[in-house]
Amino acid sequence: VRVGVVGAGQLGLMLAQAGQPLGLGVTLLDPSPDPPAAAVATVLRGDFDDADGLAELASADVVTFEFENVPAAGLERLAAAGARIAPDPAALAVSQDRLAEKRLFTVLDIPTAPHEAVDDAASLRHALDQVGVPAILKTRRLGYDGKGQRRIADDGDAGDALAALGGRDLILEGVVAFSRELSILAVRGADGQTAFYPLVENEHRDGILRVSRPAAGVDERLQAEAESLATRLLDRLGYVGVLAVELFETPEGLRANELAPRVHNSGHWTIEGAATSQFENHLRAVCGLPLGSTELVGRSAMVNLIGEAPARPDVLAIPGARLHLYGKAPRPGRKLGHVTLVAAGDDALAHRLETMLALVRAPG
Ligand code: AMP
């Protein structure tokens, strides 16, 4: 079985690595000259919507994607020409438009932030009346890692925020007073079978994920609430593959922030910390294979290495630390790798995580 992947970054790298022992050949498409996945798999060089590159990918048994800003139209054309694409490009299209995403949540009775479409000064005024302040004005498309967003603390900020974001194709969201940011990773097989990983707690800085750890104090009810909303999304989208849903936890329950129709940074710990990783389960799903167990193997947390990586010996001296470097040149704000910390119990995990965090916080 051959799998084509649009995008060859670290997610593509880890998909290719997961496919190897299963005998699933992975070929990827990416415009950059030396993408992370090229270390372990064949990468076709071309833009994400390059017609020739996509056509070559489509000679595989199934095409999937690891990058969210892939133009959905290119994949829709491939699907129309008879290629098997999973997940369906419709899920990609929804995830690329914050308004469509929030409307889908609402249709499925999934609580989300109050929101209004904004296309000019008048619609922004109306939106502020509806949503109130503080609020966040966001671009509807091509926003990621906190880019394309402006907080509006009072009505005086509105004009500047509107101008800074281009004045149209925007969404105004009320600020959700959340206690924590969580995410759930769900996977649905070609036969409709589903599996879920336990909720994780995510810590962001400058809009970039820094740490994912087991969400403390999650009871069966909260896990079931997350699985229920993820199931509604999977079923509605006829989804095949791994889906990540980013959530805010509030005293009134979970609020969906956004979905990612792909393997997700908050699930990297599953490589060592679950019986079947998110990468393997994504491949199993899109290839029509049985899903693997999502059962935990010990307790795990993940720390992203951003901008610069700590010294290798320092990381490897931490018991249970598993280093993943993506082979990228250091650059501020760039995800260069991650470390998964595995321990037998929560106390040992907390200790190892603290040691690891001291390394990434160390000055210089
Ligand atoms: P996003 O790109 O939408 O995931 O936003 C990046 C980060 O901004 C999130 O991880 C939250 O920390 C914060 N954020 C985004 N939208 C809201 C909201 N409606 N209310 C409160 N915080 C938000």
Side-chain angles (χ1 to χ4, degrees), residues 287-312:
C287 293
L289 297 165
L291 301 183
S293 164
T294 54
E295 211 165 297
L296 296 184
V297 179
R299 305 290 285 164
S300 310
M302 186 228 51
V303 176
N304 269 340
L305 305 178
I306 295 164
E308 58 181 339
R312 196 180 275 117

Side-chain angles (χ1 to χ4, degrees), residues 98 113 136 138 144-146 149 151 173-176 178 181 204 207 246 248 257-258:
R98 292 183 189 279
I136 307 179
K138 302 182 180 181
Y144 61 96
D145 286 348
Q149 310 198 3
R151 275 212 173 216
E173 295 181 16
V175 171
V176 176
F178 58 81
E181 295 194 64
H204 299 86
E246 295 182 29
F248 299 135
N257 177 32
E258 57 185 9

Side-chain angles (χ1 to χ4, degrees), residues 145 181 202-211 304 306 333 357 360-361:
D145 286 348
E181 295 194 64
N202 301 316
E203 187 185 318
H204 299 86
R205 194 157 15 105
D206 303 326
I208 302 173
L209 181 67
R210 301 282 155 162
V211 181
N304 269 340
I306 295 164
L357 288 174
V360 293
R361 287 190 193 122

Side-chain angles (χ1 to χ4, degrees), residues 12-360:
L13 166 69
M14 290 183 272
L15 282 169
Q17 287 171 326
Q20 192 275 328
L22 304 187
L24 303 172
V26 172
T27 302
L28 309 96
L29 172 69
D30 200 286
S32 54
D34 190 22
V40 301
T42 303
V43 179
L44 310 172
R45 294 297 137 71
D47 279 329
F48 301 121
D49 58 351
D50 177 67
D52 293 340
L54 285 174
E56 203 172 333
L57 268 198
S59 69
D61 299 280
V62 60
V63 174
T64 187
F65 40 87
E66 59 97 82
F67 179 66
E68 217 160 308
N69 290 330
V70 173
L75 292 179
E76 277 158 2
R77 272 196 299 278
L78 277 194
R84 224 162 75 76
I85 318 267
D88 193 290
L92 186 63
V94 168
S95 75
Q96 288 172 347
D97 181 342
R98 292 183 189 279
L99 188 60
E101 203 171 55
K102 291 221 155 46
R103 284 184 173 154
L104 178 64
F105 292 149
T106 305
V107 164
L108 296 175
D109 269 331
I110 298 171
T112 187
H115 57 276
E116 293 286 331
V118 170
D119 284 297
D120 52 29
S123 51
L124 177 55
R125 261 194 312 278
H126 172 78
L128 282 166
D129 285 344
Q130 297 294 312
V131 166
V133 286
I136 307 179
L137 191 62
K138 302 182 180 181
T139 53
R140 280 174 59 180
R141 293 168 191 281
L142 294 177
Y144 61 96
D145 286 348
K147 294 189 178 75
Q149 310 198 3
R150 287 286 185 288
R151 275 212 173 216
I152 299 183
D154 58 60
D155 290 353
D157 298 340
D160 285 351
L162 186 67
L165 296 176
R168 50 193 284 256
D169 291 327
L170 307 174
I171 181 172
L172 186 77
E173 295 181 16
V175 171
V176 176
F178 58 81
S179 49
R180 315 187 272 187
E181 295 194 64
L182 306 175
S183 59
I184 182 140
L185 271 89
V187 56
R188 186 170 181 274
D191 60 357
Q193 182 198 359
T194 56
F196 305 89
Y197 293 92
L199 280 163
V200 296
E201 177 177 350
N202 301 316
E203 187 185 318
H204 299 86
R205 194 157 15 105
D206 303 326
I208 302 173
L209 181 67
R210 301 282 155 162
V211 181
S212 293
R213 67 185 98 212
V218 170
D219 55 11
E220 273 175 36
R221 189 200 50 76
L222 191 65
Q223 179 71 24
E225 185 181 337
E227 291 185 11
S228 156
L229 66 85
T231 300
R232 276 173 269 161
L233 289 164
L234 292 172
D235 289 345
R236 166 62 66 111
L237 295 167
Y239 200 91
V240 174
V242 167
L243 172 76
V245 189
E246 295 182 29
L247 302 161
F248 299 135
E249 185 181 22
T250 78
E252 292 77 42
L254 298 173
R255 301 284 175 269
N257 177 32
E258 57 185 9
L259 56 85
R262 53 171 172 77
V263 288
H264 193 257
N265 198 168
S266 68
H268 289 0
W269 61 273
T270 60
I271 294 175
E272 291 90 2
T276 314
S277 77
Q278 63 162 343
F279 302 99
E280 179 172 334
N281 256 336
H282 184 72
L283 291 176
R284 287 182 182 225
V286 303
C287 293
L289 297 165
L291 301 183
S293 164
T294 54
E295 211 165 297
L296 296 184
V297 179
R299 305 290 285 164
S300 310
M302 186 228 51
V303 176
N304 269 340
L305 305 178
I306 295 164
E308 58 181 339
R312 196 180 275 117
D314 293 346
V315 175
L316 298 183
I318 303 173
R322 307 297 299 274
L323 176 62
H324 296 253
L325 292 173
Y326 309 147
K328 292 172 163 178
R331 196 195 294 156
R334 199 173 202 204
K335 290 176 183 172
L336 303 179
H338 73 268
V339 175
T340 300
L341 301 147
V342 187
D346 284 323
D347 290 348
L349 178 64
H351 182 70
R352 291 168 185 190
L353 181 58
E354 205 175 307
T355 310
M356 182 61 220
L357 288 174
L359 291 183
V360 293

